[in-house]
Amino acid sequence: MNVIHRESLAPGVTRLSTDASLPRPHLAICGGIHGNEPCGVAALRWLDGRLADAPTWVRAGTVLLANGNLRAIAQGRRHSEGGVDLNRIWDFRYQTRLVRDAWAYEHARALELAPVFEDVDAVLDLHSSTSASPPFAICNAAPGSAALAKHMSVPFVVEQWISLENRVLTGHLAQRSIPAVVVECGAHQAPSSLQVAQQVSQRFLAHWGLLQEPDETPASDTTRFVRIAATLTKPSERFRFSTPIEGFQKLSRGTIIGRDDFTELKLVHDCYAVLPNDQVAPGDDVLYLAVPSSTST
Ligand SMILES: [Zn+2]
C-alpha cells in the first residue's frame, strides 16, 4: 500500500482506506457528538494526519473518521443553540412524533450520520465529562464489545446502562449487532483527555490489527467492570451536591449526596459515582450510581 484513498462521505466525515476496493475491516471513530468535548475532535484530526501516511498502516483496512455535531462543535456547546442532545435521539422516534418543521439541526444530522455507521465492523465514540474522572469505557450489547472495551486498557468498563438504551449511538448500533464502545476520556479541558483519546483510538485500530499498539503496555487485567444500578435526576433548580464529587469516586452507604430545600438524597448502598454534574437542568441526569458487575471477578 503506497497511497491512502481518501473521500468525504458526508459533511465532517472522512473515509480513509488502504485500497480503492475498501477492504475490511471497516472501523469508525466518532468525536464531537457533544460539541463541548474537544478531545475527540482533536483526536480525529491527529488520526487523520497519521493515517494519511501509508507506512503507518500495519495491514489493509478502512477507517471512517466522523465529527458528530458540527454546529455544536463550532459553537463550543453540548448541543447547538436551541437544539437537542445528538446522543439521545438514535431511536429516531422523532421521525413519527415530531413534524419536520419542528426538527432541530441534530434531528437532521442524526439521519445524515446513520448511513455512515450502517455497514461498519466496530465503532469507537470519544467523549469527555464536566467533572474530573479517570477514563472509562462503556460497551454496548453487541458480541465482541466487552472484549473491545477491555482492550482500551482504561480503569473501568461500564457494561450495562439500561436507562440510555437505544437513544445513544452505541445502543442504536447494538440493535444491528455492531460492537461499539464509548470512551469517556476525562474532563473537557484536561490536557490528559486528549492523550487518552489518542491512545484509545490507536488501541481500537490495533485491536483489529490496523495499527501498532501504542507504546504504553496495556494493563487491561486491572480493568474493573461495573454496571449502572441507578440514575438520579436533578429534583429542582436549587439541588446541589453536599460536597464536590468526582467521577468514579467511591461513595459509602449513608452518604448524603446532595439536597435542595425539600429533599435530601442519602445512599443505602456503597457505589461509584459516574458522570456527576449538579449544574444540569432540573429533570436531567445529575448522577449515575455504579456497582461492580457480576462478570467482573
Ligand atoms: Zn459526551
Side-chain angles (χ1 to χ4, degrees), residues 16-81:
L16 298 135
S17 186
T18 52
D19 191 280
S21 68
L22 305 177
R24 296 227 166 240
H26 285 204
L27 304 172
I29 302 178
C30 186
I33 221 169
H34 295 133
N36 60 339
E37 302 178 4
C39 69
V41 176
L44 292 183
R45 263 200 307 274
W46 173 79
L47 271 175
D48 196 329
R50 292 207 63 192
L51 295 172
D53 183 27
T56 303
W57 297 65
V58 175
R59 57 164 282 206
T62 301
V63 175
L64 292 93
L65 303 176
N67 290 277
N69 193 331
L70 298 181
R71 191 175 288 181
I73 291 169
Q75 295 174 349
R77 305 166 62 106
R78 182 173 173 88
H79 57 69
S80 68
E81 198 163 7

Side-chain angles (χ1 to χ4, degrees), residues 33-34 36-37 78 85 87 126-129 182 184 188:
I33 221 169
H34 295 133
N36 60 339
E37 302 178 4
R78 182 173 173 88
D85 189 331
N87 210 25
L126 298 166
H127 287 256
S128 61
S129 55
V182 166
E184 289 281 352
H188 296 324

Side-chain angles (χ1 to χ4, degrees), residues 229-267:
T231 299
L232 305 182
T233 54
K234 186 164 165 171
S236 71
E237 182 58 54
R238 287 173 63 81
F239 178 86
R240 290 289 181 276
F241 294 138
S242 311
T243 55
I245 302 174
E246 294 203 345
F248 278 94
Q249 186 176 324
K250 269 188 176 172
L251 300 172
S252 306
R253 177 183 173 184
T255 301
I256 293 172
I257 299 172
R259 53 173 70 86
D260 61 13
D261 297 335
F262 295 95
T263 57
E264 227 173 36
L265 276 176
K266 183 175 162 186
L267 286 178

